[in-house]
Amino acid sequence: MKSILIVCFTSIFALNLQSQTKPWQGKFEPIDNMVDQPNTYRSASGAPGKDYWQQRADYKIKVRLDEPTNTISGEETITYYNNSPDDLSYLWIQLEQNINKKGSEDFGSLNDIKDGISTRQMQFLTRAIDFPAGYTIKYIKDVNGSSIKSLVNNTMMKVLLDQPLKAGESMSFSIGWSYPITDRSMFMLSREGYEYFPEDDNTVYLIAHWFPRMAVYNDTEGWQNQQFQRLGEFALEFGNYEVDITVPADHLIASTGQLQNPSEVLTKNQQERLQEARTSFDKPVLIVTKEEAVSNEKTKSKKLKTWKFKATNVRDFSFASSRKFMWDAQAVKFSDHTTMAMSFYPKEGLPVWREESTKAVVNALEVYSESTFEYPYPVAISVNTSNIGMEFPMISFNGGRPKNGTMSDRAKQGMISTIVHEVGHNWFPMIISSDERKWMWMDEGLNTFIHQRTLAERYPDFNSTTPKSVVPYMSGDKSIMRPIMTTSDDELFSQFGSNFYQKPTVGLQMLRHSIVGKELFDQAFKEYCNRWKYKHPNPGDLFRTLEDATAVDLDWFFRGWFFTTDNVDMELSNVKWFKVYEEKLNIEDQSKNVKMKIEGENAGEKAKDFSSGPEVITVASTPDESYGGFLSRLNEPELRKQLSGKNIYEVTIKNVGGLVMPVTVEWVFKDGTTEIDKLPAQVWRLNESEIKRTFVKDKEVVKVNLDPNFEFADTDMTNNSFPKVEEKSDFDKFKEKN
């Protein structure tokens, strides 16, 4: 008997495979061979393993900004801790400023030559107006003052050690360097540099990836020494910072870390206002007013001041400096500390920056903290600039300015959304420190997911990312499309926003709202965030944690959504309507029904609607041999009685797009009421191309819809209904418009 059952099952399985329109793709196979394997460093549960380790780098930096020449020069001492089990004969240091050199190995221009090209675009292409850029490394010395040999390869510098740095040991060395600060308007994707204001002959300096920094050395890759090519961002080690910044005496500095010498760099009034702001939990307090900032613009001090900052357990350090800045601040209370939410902006940002910036910082801090873990740092700063949104620990540079004091609602939404997003990056990747150079989606996608929750809770009228948002992209040209699991610099620039921001966000929204459920998913997402704060997670750590903390098999979802370019397109291929009567049926009524059905279906053609009425079927008695060795019998008269006169619908659904998803079926009844049935994605296990399911309804159905609430980014809603929708739906109009 056992062999007969095996043969039967094998035959059914083979028939299912043969019935598929596509070859077997193993959509429900585990993804274990597609991500880093678990080991003692990273456990199979997705948590850091018992032997997990990561390197550390502490910095002491003294830097001077020279305004007349737009140069910056510094001296730094790095103390590097080799916590790995490996002896290191050399170190890699990042020199991102070298990307600004002419002829650097970046990904090239984003413009083509064409008739009528603008002068700025031509400058991007040719750099006809050249300018100095890139580091001058003045020295590298050990603690005894002896020179250390180094080799520079574009944006990476190899430091050659006389003796290997052994596992468990640390070393200190110093670097002297300088570079010309570049004009931000000269570059696409410019994340730092200066912005010049001709009207008052002043400058705002955004100083980022400015000092030579240790590259990451980890358990899965060794040295992360991929070249910086602008699009892929940063991979950095945590450490403590002591930074002395010398600038013109009339400049204000916004910076990572906590100011150590306020009495030396702030006026008495500014100190008093800052102290007042520390207990202002309901509104920002102006530390520097518009009148003071405008007055400050009129003269340029030739004297210098040194601002001293300390930052604990951060992976980077950045600052902004200008005499143009206004400054406001508001306190945000957490369970065991208070954070100062701050904004710095020139008068060109008024009035919206005064009204909205710090408020947006506060909203982001509160929602992200509730969704993940409490913000741990003493400050969170938003600095106004042009054409950018860029994040660093405790500080972000955010675009959005009014024109002549006015700003459209759409522009204001964009500005506020940018601030929320960039402040949110303090969690992803500044604390949950994923490798941005390799996996942009791990910081941008996860951050955008919580960013969208912040907008939904605090700015419900704003436009937001939903499954609808990603449909135009996912229904695009597959020949140029990349999976989400593509390294940052290998993505087409025209698609990286959709693929690294929107698509991961929508995927997490699907998991939360439609696959796992909010409560369970939120707990699992928090688990991931808390497991990996101040650590370096990989994609496999996220995937494993979400499964570990939900008890839901999600490999099918990760495989399809993250590793392929398949899209969701479910077709409601057919709906058959049946009614069951007792075994002894009135022959005249049965004949009439069969005649109506044949006429309605044009002699065997598939019905287009329900107008032909139901097909009447009888339920015959089960032969004894069908029960096998079972002696008990089903109460067959009762079964027929329960089904008698009810409406039975057999639904056929085809997987056209290739991506398996749960199935949501909406029934519209003749009396105008509706009902929803939900099927898990596992219904596709035996046949990934087509499924049939049977439903029993008391009421007569007039229409059936798939995915009525657009939960799964279905790219073609015209094939989701029975009877078929001839007129374009609102969704398809939205798709064409966008």
Side-chain angles (χ1 to χ4, degrees):
M1 183 66 182
K2 181 178 179 181
S3 61
I4 294 174
L5 287 174
I6 292 174
V7 169
C8 290
F9 178 77
T10 304
S11 300
I12 294 170
F13 191 69
L15 286 171
N16 277 325
L17 289 182
Q18 292 171 8
S19 69
Q20 295 181 15
T21 59
K22 293 184 179 181
W24 180 257
Q25 297 180 20
K27 299 181 189 299
F28 288 91
E29 292 297 307
I31 62 168
D32 293 351
N33 64 335
M34 305 173 78
V35 294
D36 293 324
Q37 295 299 300
N39 49 43
T40 60
Y41 306 132
R42 297 168 190 269
S43 73
S45 70
K50 65 183 180 66
D51 295 325
Y52 177 82
W53 56 267
Q54 67 188 46
Q55 310 291 65
R56 182 176 184 85
D58 293 340
Y59 297 83
K60 292 184 178 180
I61 307 173
K62 292 184 177 180
V63 62
R64 175 174 171 173
L65 189 159
D66 187 67
E67 187 173 30
T69 61
N70 287 325
T71 59
I72 188 168
S73 56
E75 298 178 344
E76 65 184 86
T77 298
I78 304 174
T79 302
Y80 185 65
Y81 300 84
N82 182 12
N83 298 321
S84 79
D86 308 321
D87 296 343
L88 304 176
S89 59
Y90 52 81
L91 311 177
W92 281 104
I93 290 178
Q94 303 182 58
L95 301 178
E96 280 96 347
Q97 285 299 320
N98 285 353
I99 193 67
N100 295 330
K101 287 183 174 181
K102 190 171 185 178
S104 66
E105 298 175 11
D106 64 7
F107 59 82
S109 173
L110 305 177
N111 298 285
D112 299 321
I113 291 181
K114 57 186 177 182
D115 186 34
I117 191 171
S118 73
T119 54
R120 187 165 182 256
Q121 289 173 324
M122 186 58 79
Q123 172 68 8
F124 294 156
L125 280 169
T126 65
R127 194 159 165 171
I129 301 175
D130 201 7
F131 47 85
Y135 284 104
T136 297
I137 302 297
K138 299 177 181 179
Y139 63 81
I140 306 178
K141 297 178 180 180
D142 63 19
V143 291
N144 298 316
S146 300
S147 295
I148 302 176
K149 187 178 179 180
S150 65
L151 298 170
V152 174
N153 177 12
N154 197 24
T155 63
M156 300 298 300
M157 179 168 68
K158 188 176 187 179
V159 177
L160 303 171
L161 305 179
D162 291 336
Q163 298 293 329
L165 178 60
K166 294 188 176 298
E169 295 185 353
S170 64
M171 66 172 289
S172 295
F173 60 100
S174 58
I175 307 176
W177 50 267
S178 65
Y179 70 85
I181 306 170
T182 52
D183 183 343
R184 286 190 50 242
S185 67
M186 293 291 187
F187 292 104
M188 298 287 284
L189 288 179
S190 174
R191 293 177 166 85
E192 49 75 39
Y194 69 80
E195 179 181 2
Y196 178 65
F197 291 76
E199 181 180 326
D200 51 63
D201 187 32
N202 277 297
T203 305
V204 170
Y205 294 93
L206 308 179
I207 308 301
H209 47 90
W210 52 283
F211 59 99
R213 303 178 293 180
M214 292 302 305
V216 166
Y217 185 81
N218 64 30
D219 60 287
T220 56
E221 194 170 13
W223 285 108
Q224 165 47 295
N225 54 10
Q226 290 178 233
Q227 297 289 339
F228 179 46
Q229 296 180 312
R230 296 193 197 279
L231 192 57
E233 292 177 355
F234 313 111
L236 300 162
E237 301 287 11
F238 286 95
N240 297 333
Y241 286 74
E242 296 179 20
V243 183
D244 295 354
I245 307 170
T246 301
V247 296
D250 50 2
H251 273 217
L252 278 177
I253 290 182
S255 176
T256 300
Q258 195 153 23
L259 181 62
Q260 300 299 297
N261 61 334
S263 62
E264 297 175 15
V265 295
L266 301 180
T267 67
K268 185 178 179 181
N269 282 340
Q270 290 167 354
Q271 293 178 64
E272 290 174 351
R273 294 167 184 167
L274 183 57
Q275 192 60 36
E276 179 188 349
R278 296 188 190 283
T279 57
S280 180
F281 296 97
D282 58 345
K283 63 181 179 180
V285 173
L286 272 171
I287 314 301
V288 176
T289 67
K290 175 185 177 183
E291 292 72 24
E292 291 167 337
V294 170
S295 175
N296 206 30
E297 290 178 343
K298 294 178 180 178
T299 58
K300 294 185 178 180
S301 175
K302 297 187 181 298
K303 296 180 180 180
L304 300 175
K305 280 184 180 178
T306 298
W307 299 58
K308 299 177 182 291
F309 293 90
K310 284 187 178 181
T312 301
N313 208 19
V314 294
R315 64 174 230 163
D316 199 2
F317 193 102
S318 182
F319 67 95
S321 182
S322 181
R323 65 177 53 83
K324 288 179 64 66
F325 284 146
M326 298 174 60
W327 176 15
D328 68 49
Q330 178 179 333
V332 182
K333 186 67 176 175
F334 293 109
S335 61
D336 60 356
H337 67 282
T338 297
T339 291
M340 298 304 296
M342 299 178 176
S343 295
F344 290 74
Y345 42 93
K347 64 181 184 299
E348 287 78 6
L350 294 175
V352 290
W353 271 75
R354 173 75 179 98
E355 297 165 349
E356 300 290 351
S357 178
T358 299
K359 177 182 176 182
V361 175
V362 172
N363 285 333
L365 291 177
E366 291 177 345
V367 176
Y368 275 78
S369 293
E370 194 279 328
S371 303
T372 57
F373 50 78
E374 286 190 347
Y375 183 78
Y377 295 131
V379 297
I381 300 171
S382 170
V383 180
N384 176 242
T385 183
S386 177
N387 302 332
I388 193 177
M390 190 59 205
E391 71 282 358
F392 306 94
M394 307 187 214
I395 187 170
S396 57
F397 306 150
N398 303 309
R401 285 192 186 135
K403 294 181 179 179
N404 300 318
T406 62
M407 203 174 202
S408 68
D409 289 342
R410 182 174 181 178
K412 185 183 293 187
Q413 284 189 23
M415 181 202 86
I416 293 170
S417 184
T418 297
I419 295 169
V420 168
H421 182 88
E422 305 307 336
V423 171
H425 271 305
N426 278 285
W427 282 265
F428 314 96
M430 299 305 156
I431 300 175
I432 306 162
S433 184
S434 57
D435 182 350
E436 298 176 274
R437 193 151 296 173
K438 193 169 187 179
W439 306 117
M440 181 185 285
W441 69 267
M442 284 196 75
D443 65 285
E444 297 297 355
L446 272 61
N447 181 44
T448 304
F449 171 61
I450 305 297
H451 159 206
Q452 291 299 314
R453 286 179 61 178
T454 306
L455 296 185
E457 292 183 22
R458 301 299 173 93
Y459 303 95
D461 295 332
F462 281 21
N463 293 327
S464 59
T465 296
T466 68
K468 290 182 182 179
S469 308
V470 80
V471 166
Y473 166 68
M474 294 190 70
S475 58
D477 184 356
K478 290 289 195 297
S479 68
I480 61 171
M481 200 175 291
R482 309 279 200 274
I484 292 175
M485 286 291 289
T486 299
T487 56
S488 303
D489 289 313
D490 291 337
E491 179 59 88
L492 294 178
F493 181 75
S494 61
Q495 297 182 351
F496 87 98
S498 296
N499 210 29
F500 291 152
Y501 291 69
Q502 282 192 324
K503 190 178 175 185
T505 296
V506 168
L508 293 172
Q509 289 174 341
M510 289 177 177
L511 291 175
R512 183 175 189 246
H513 296 290
S514 306
I515 297 173
V516 174
K518 287 184 180 181
E519 185 176 2
L520 191 57
F521 179 86
D522 287 351
Q523 191 281 326
F525 193 78
K526 277 189 177 183
E527 184 71 25
Y528 165 75
C529 294
N530 282 277
R531 281 178 174 182
W532 288 99
K533 61 183 177 182
Y534 305 114
K535 296 182 177 67
H536 299 314
N538 290 330
D541 302 316
L542 171 64
F543 298 151
R544 290 188 175 104
T545 295
L546 292 181
E547 289 190 321
D548 180 70
T550 61
V552 179
D553 175 13
L554 296 172
D555 277 20
W556 62 270
F557 181 82
F558 299 141
R559 174 184 287 273
W561 196 258
F562 287 88
F563 289 90
T564 78
T565 59
D566 289 348
N567 60 282
V568 179
D569 181 9
M570 296 185 194
E571 177 187 322
L572 185 53
S573 177
N574 195 22
V575 179
K576 291 184 178 180
W577 179 19
F578 302 95
K579 281 197 173 183
V580 174
Y581 290 90
E582 296 288 347
E583 192 169 11
K584 294 180 180 179
L585 181 70
N586 181 289
I587 299 300
E588 182 180 345
D589 290 345
Q590 185 178 13
S591 299
K592 184 187 297 184
N593 180 269
V594 171
K595 182 174 183 293
M596 289 174 60
K597 184 168 182 60
I598 290 174
E599 291 175 351
E601 296 187 9
N602 295 319
E605 290 185 10
K606 187 163 63 175
K608 295 181 178 180
D609 52 36
F610 296 111
S611 60
S612 298
E615 179 179 350
V616 176
I617 58 174
T618 59
V619 179
S621 298
T622 305
D624 284 344
E625 57 267 24
S626 295
Y627 283 97
F630 292 106
L631 299 179
S632 60
R633 293 293 181 266
L634 182 68
N635 186 341
E636 296 188 355
E638 179 62 23
L639 184 145
R640 284 193 290 270
K641 180 180 178 183
Q642 291 296 325
L643 293 179
S644 179
K646 292 190 177 180
N647 301 284
I648 301 176
Y649 295 93
E650 181 191 74
V651 173
T652 303
I653 303 169
K654 291 184 178 180
N655 179 5
V656 179
L659 203 59
V660 295
M661 278 289 164
V663 179
T664 303
V665 183
E666 179 188 50
W667 306 91
V668 182
F669 298 111
K670 196 171 185 178
D671 62 5
T673 60
T674 61
E675 185 176 292
I676 295 287
D677 281 307
K678 295 190 175 185
L679 305 175
Q682 283 71 17
V683 296
W684 299 96
R685 278 190 178 275
L686 293 182
N687 188 332
E688 296 171 358
S689 296
E690 180 179 292
I691 58 172
K692 290 185 179 182
R693 283 297 180 272
T694 301
F695 302 85
V696 179
K697 302 297 176 185
D698 291 326
K699 294 187 285 187
E700 186 175 324
V701 171
V702 295
K703 189 176 183 181
V704 186
N705 299 311
L706 296 182
D707 194 15
N709 299 315
F710 311 120
E711 295 174 87
F712 300 111
D714 196 308
T715 59
D716 182 6
M717 297 297 291
T718 63
N719 60 8
N720 281 36
S721 298
F722 185 93
K724 185 177 180 180
V725 176
E726 299 296 338
E727 185 179 348
K728 290 181 180 178
S729 67
D730 290 340
F731 176 80
D732 291 294
K733 293 175 183 176
F734 167 87
K735 177 181 167 184
E736 290 180 358
K737 183 179 179 182
N738 292 274

